[in-house]
Amino acid sequence: MLNVIIVAVDGTKFSQQIVGTLASLKISAQGKVILSHVIPPPDDLAAADRPHNPEILSIAEAEEVLAAYKTQLPYTCTVEVVTGDPAIELVRLAHIYRADLIIMGNRGLTGLKRIIEGSVSSQVLTEAPCSVLVVKATSS
């Protein structure tokens, strides 16, 4: 039985599928879900006048998205919005909350792009102190 689950979401449509995965799990009656979003650090090499990545949520936007998911879930939920390297921060949250499971998606990077950018899910799988469920996007 699962007691503490960290669910990593990024505000995309795929996040709903990740949160929906909770329905298929056996979570204890006292179970706790940590809805988390990691805001990547700003690129030190980016020019100040260059537009920011529109896919990256602000802290307020992330809190709003997580609060909306929180109202949909029948579990005790906590919202965590942190800034830093996504893999490192998810592993850190798993240690802090003594998580039984991390649920996250993957970006589906392949080839050279995966080598250059790295895979957050691969790093979390390697370093997490608990099990990790990587949800693959369904085609729709």
Side-chain angles (χ1 to χ4, degrees), residues 14-33:
F14 182 40
S15 293
Q16 184 62 50
Q17 183 182 338
I18 295 168
V19 172
T21 302
L22 286 168
S24 65
L25 301 175
K26 285 201 166 217
I27 301 172
S28 73
Q30 299 81 26
K32 183 175 187 176
V33 173

Side-chain angles (χ1 to χ4, degrees), residues 76-114:
T76 301
C77 295
T78 299
V79 169
E80 284 280 356
V81 178
V82 295
T83 302
D85 178 270
I88 291 170
E89 293 303 320
L90 288 172
V91 170
R92 186 179 67 80
L93 288 172
H95 281 288
I96 290 169
Y97 285 100
R98 298 178 188 254
D100 299 308
L101 179 67
I102 298 171
I103 302 175
M104 63 186 302
N106 72 355
R107 295 182 293 168
L109 299 179
T110 58
L112 187 58
K113 194 164 188 167
R114 182 179 177 132

Side-chain angles (χ1 to χ4, degrees), residues 11-134:
T12 63
K13 291 179 183 177
F14 182 40
S15 293
Q16 184 62 50
Q17 183 182 338
I18 295 168
V19 172
T21 302
L22 286 168
S24 65
L25 301 175
K26 285 201 166 217
I27 301 172
S28 73
Q30 299 81 26
K32 183 175 187 176
V33 173
I34 314 301
L35 294 167
S36 64
H37 177 75
V38 181
I39 299 171
D43 184 1
D44 294 333
L45 302 175
D49 61 345
R50 200 177 295 163
H52 77 286
N53 184 343
E55 294 178 3
I56 296 176
L57 299 175
S58 69
I59 292 173
E61 291 168 329
E63 288 174 341
E64 188 176 308
V65 167
L66 296 177
Y69 285 128
K70 184 177 177 179
T71 63
Q72 297 173 21
L73 297 172
Y75 313 108
T76 301
C77 295
T78 299
V79 169
E80 284 280 356
V81 178
V82 295
T83 302
D85 178 270
I88 291 170
E89 293 303 320
L90 288 172
V91 170
R92 186 179 67 80
L93 288 172
H95 281 288
I96 290 169
Y97 285 100
R98 298 178 188 254
D100 299 308
L101 179 67
I102 298 171
I103 302 175
M104 63 186 302
N106 72 355
R107 295 182 293 168
L109 299 179
T110 58
L112 187 58
K113 194 164 188 167
R114 182 179 177 132
I115 292 169
I116 292 171
E117 292 185 23
S119 168
V120 173
S121 56
S122 292
Q123 187 176 347
V124 172
L125 277 164
T126 303
E127 298 176 10
C130 58
S131 296
V132 178
L133 174 59
V134 179

